[in-house]
Structures are given as structure tokens and as C-alpha cells.
């Protein structure tokens, strides 16, 4: 039987090819490149979906379980490697739903890279690819539902951030301050993903991540100046897409937090213990709650909401990488 790691890697190759053809489509606007981009994205989703099934079988074998309850009791996303695969898979799947709904492929080149960065970080940071036995705290029927709902929320945050970057590229009045914010936030993402795992050579990783952020901003600026953004949806449509992706993420983050609290009651005797993961999950939830309040109640529109979206994604990055790898707590087993 083909291993789950092989399937996950094959899916990443498909995502890379999808990104390549989305980029070609954005430059050439040829129908064939757009179709190939979508086809490779769906192929990656299908292959990695099969990878999760195989991973579930592998986890059941490692935990010496053979009945039908194995998949949700020993769900295949309980460590950094598996959960990052789930993040990338879910982000691409959600993007494809948005692509189908809005009949626009142009923002694929903004979203697919975020999924790829998440999945490729498993290779860069050297997370174990082996299916491992579950610690007792994770051996629960709540595992599948809590993790899946939370990561759908994380994936929606990534989609909304990708749309926010496309939004700034599309706007004609993007200022120097906007570009500085884009650079700093991207720098934070690259730096924190790398440094949270190695925690050494601070200056070196600071420089490497700055170069990566500059390259990203340069690519975004090139996209803006070459007129590729003209095939993106209108500013109003991008704002609506941001809102909908944030709303989806907020709903699933809310469900994930509630399920986590119920699970904590059974596992640790209390609904809430102010564990670092719980605290930062709440902070992330509050950022997106503020976004929805500002848009829906206060009627705020424009750049401030795009900033909210990016800040929310930064909070997701810290909640996931920072809390798991730097701050010790009840969720430290997720490494």
C-alpha cells in the first residue's frame, strides 16, 4: 500500500503545479492554463484526501486498533506534520469552493502559496512524518470534531489573508504605509514559522525571512504594475469574499473552541484553564469578532478591514506555531 507520506508529497507537487498554472493564467489569461490550474488543485485535494484515509489506517495499526471507531478516535491529524497537511488541504479545498462560487481563478495565485508554505514547512522544520501512538489525552471521541472544526477555521483565515493581499494589489490607492504593513506582516509570518522551530541563529533567520518577505512584496508589486490585477474581481467583490471567508472561519473557530472546552472538561476536569493555546485561540477569536463587529455593526469598509484580516491570520500563525513550539502548556504534545 502506498504510504500516507507519499500521497501527501504528491499532493504538494500537484498544488505547486496548480500555483504555476494559476500564475500563467494570470499573466496570459489563456483558458487552458486556468483549466489546468483548477484541475491540479482538485487533483492535490483528491490525493491528499486519500492520504488522510491511509494515514488513519496507519494510525490505527500503530495504536493497535482494528474496529471502525479507529478513524475518529485516532484521527490522522494529531501532530504538527499531520495538522499542517490538514491545514493546507482544507485551505485549497475552501479556495476551490470560492473559485467555483465567484467564477474567478485569478486569486488562486494568492491563496495556494499560503497552503503550500504551511505544508512545506513540515519539510523545512523537520517535523516527524511517522505515524505515532497517541498520548492518553488525545484518545477521545472529541478529537476528530475539535481538530477538524478548528482547522477549517484556520484554513478560512488563510483564504481571507490571501484575498486581503489581492485586495491591496487591486486597489489603486495602495500607499507606502500599506506596503510597509504588507512587508512587516509577511516578514513576521516567514520569521516566526522558521524561528519557532529552531530558536537559534536569531539574526540569520531574521535576515532570511526579511529577504523572503521582500521577494513576496516584490512579486505582489509586479502583479500590481503589470496589470494582472485587472482580472481580479472588483474591490467590492474582494471585500465581500474577505467577509465571507472570515465569517466561515469565525463560525468554525467558535465551534472548535466550544468543543475543545467540553473535551477539556472530560480530559482535565475543567472547561477552561487559561492554557496558552486556549488563551491565544481566544485572542484570535476576538480579532475576528472585532472584524465582524466593525463591518456588520459599524459599517466599516475598505483598508481597515483588510488590515484586520491580515492581523487575524498573524494571530492564527502565533496560536499554531508559537504556542505549540515555544510556550509550554497542556497542548505541547501537539509537537
Amino acid at each position: 500500500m502506498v504510504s500516507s507520506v507519499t500521497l501527501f508529497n504528491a499532493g504538494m507537487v500537484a498544488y505547486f503545479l496548480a500555483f504555476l498554472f494559476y500564475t500563467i493564467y494570470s499573466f496570459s489569461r489563456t483558458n487552458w492554463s486556468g483549466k489546468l490550474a483548477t484541475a491540479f488543485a482538485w487533483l492535490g485535494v483528491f490525493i491528499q484526501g486519500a492520504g488522510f484515509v491511509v494515514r488513519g489506517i496507519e494510525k490505527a495499526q500503530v495504536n493497535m486498533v482494528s474496529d471502525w471507531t479507529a478513524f475518529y478516535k485516532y484521527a490522522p491529524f494529531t501532530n504538527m506534520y499531520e495538522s499542517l497537511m490538514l491545514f493546507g488541504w482544507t485551505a485549497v479545498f475552501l479556495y476551490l469552493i470560492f473559485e467555483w462560487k465567484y467564477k474567478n481563478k485569478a486569486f488562486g495565485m494568492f491563496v495556494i502559496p499560503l497552503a503550500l508554505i504551511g505544508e512545506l514547512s513540515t519539510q523545512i522544520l523537520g517535523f516527524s512524518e511517522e505515524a505515532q501512538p497517541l498520548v492518553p489525552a488525545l484518545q477521545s471521541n472529541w478529537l476528530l470534531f475539535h481538530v477538524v472544526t478548528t482547522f477549517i477555521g484556520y484554513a478560512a483565515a488563510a483564504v481571507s489573508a490571501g484575498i486581503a493581499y489581492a485586495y491591496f494589489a487591486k486597489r489603486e490607492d495602495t500607499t507606502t504605509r500599506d506596503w510597509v504593513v504588507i512587508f512587516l506582516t509577511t516578514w513576521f509570518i516567514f520569521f516566526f514559522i522558521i524561528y519557532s522551530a529552531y530558536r537559534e541563529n536569531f539574526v540569520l533567520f531574521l535576515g532570511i525571512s526579511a529577504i523572503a518577505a521582500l521577494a513576496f512584496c516584490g512579486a505582489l508589486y509586479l502583479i500590481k504594475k503589470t496589470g494582472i490585477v485587472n482580472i481580479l474581481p472588483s474591490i467590492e467583490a474582494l471585500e465581500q469574499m474577505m467577509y465571507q471567508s472570515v465569517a466561515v472561519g469565525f463560525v468554525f473557530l467558535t465551534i472548535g473552541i466550544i468543543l475543545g472546552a467540553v473535551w477539556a472538561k472530560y480530559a482535565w476536569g475543567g472547561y477552561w484553564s487559561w492554557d496558552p493555546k486556549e488563551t491565544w485561540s481566544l485572542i484570535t477569536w476576538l480579532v475576528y469578532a472585532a472584524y465582524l463587529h466593525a463591518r456588520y455593526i459599524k459599517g466599516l469598509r475598505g483598508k481597515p478591514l483588510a488590515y484586520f484580516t491580515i492581523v487575524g491570520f498573524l494571530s492564527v500563525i502565533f496560536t499554531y506555531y508559537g504556542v505549540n513550539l515555544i510556550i509550554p502548556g497542556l497542548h505541547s504534545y501537539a509537537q
Side-chain angles (χ1 to χ4, degrees), residues 49-280:
F52 284 114
V53 174
V54 173
R55 190 71 167 190
I57 296 172
E58 294 170 351
K59 298 278 280 194
Q61 292 172 344
V62 168
N63 289 280
M64 295 180 290
V65 178
S66 58
D67 61 45
W68 65 273
T69 63
F71 188 82
Y72 70 84
K73 281 186 177 179
Y74 301 94
F77 21 75
T78 54
N79 57 32
M80 292 292 286
Y81 173 77
E82 295 164 355
S83 59
L84 281 168
M85 289 298 146
L86 178 64
F87 165 78
W89 182 86
T90 310
V92 175
F93 183 72
L94 286 178
Y95 159 74
L96 288 168
I97 293 175
F98 273 83
E99 180 185 294
W100 169 79
K101 179 178 180 179
Y102 288 95
K103 303 296 186 291
N104 191 294
K105 302 175 184 290
F107 60 100
M109 66 183 298
F110 295 93
V111 177
I112 300 295
L114 296 178
L116 266 176
I117 288 172
E119 293 195 349
L120 286 173
S121 70
T122 62
Q123 310 295 320
I124 298 170
L125 305 181
F127 295 133
S128 175
E129 298 176 344
E130 295 181 3
Q132 302 165 344
L134 292 185
V135 297
L138 290 180
Q139 296 176 15
S140 169
N141 295 338
W142 293 99
L143 173 63
L144 176 65
F145 307 105
H146 170 61
V147 174
V148 168
T149 52
T150 300
F151 271 85
I152 291 175
Y154 286 175
V159 172
S160 66
I163 296 171
Y165 286 127
Y167 174 83
F168 279 115
K170 177 77 173 180
R171 288 189 69 104
E172 295 181 357
D173 61 345
T174 303
T175 64
T176 301
R177 185 184 68 176
D178 296 328
W179 285 109
V180 170
V181 171
I182 292 170
F183 168 74
L184 291 176
T185 53
T186 310
W187 189 7
F188 178 92
I189 291 172
F190 283 120
F191 171 74
F192 206 81
I193 288 175
I194 298 173
Y195 185 71
S196 60
Y198 291 108
R199 278 171 279 175
E200 57 186 18
N201 297 324
F202 179 88
V203 176
L204 175 63
F205 289 133
L206 202 64
I208 292 174
S209 55
I211 293 172
L214 281 172
F216 175 85
C217 291
L220 198 63
Y221 186 78
L222 178 64
I223 290 170
K224 182 178 181 64
K225 290 301 181 182
T226 53
I228 295 175
V229 291
N230 293 332
I231 64 174
L232 286 170
S234 66
I235 291 294
E236 293 74 18
L238 287 172
E239 285 189 1
Q240 181 66 15
M241 291 162 65
M242 265 193 293
Y243 164 66
Q244 291 183 344
S245 56
V246 167
V248 169
F250 181 78
V251 168
F252 279 96
L253 284 176
T254 302
I255 296 172
I257 289 173
I258 293 172
L259 291 176
V262 175
W263 185 7
K265 174 65 175 178
Y266 283 96
W268 300 315
Y271 291 104
W272 198 267
S273 59
W274 295 105
D275 173 71
K277 176 73 80 173
E278 295 173 347
T279 303
W280 275 97

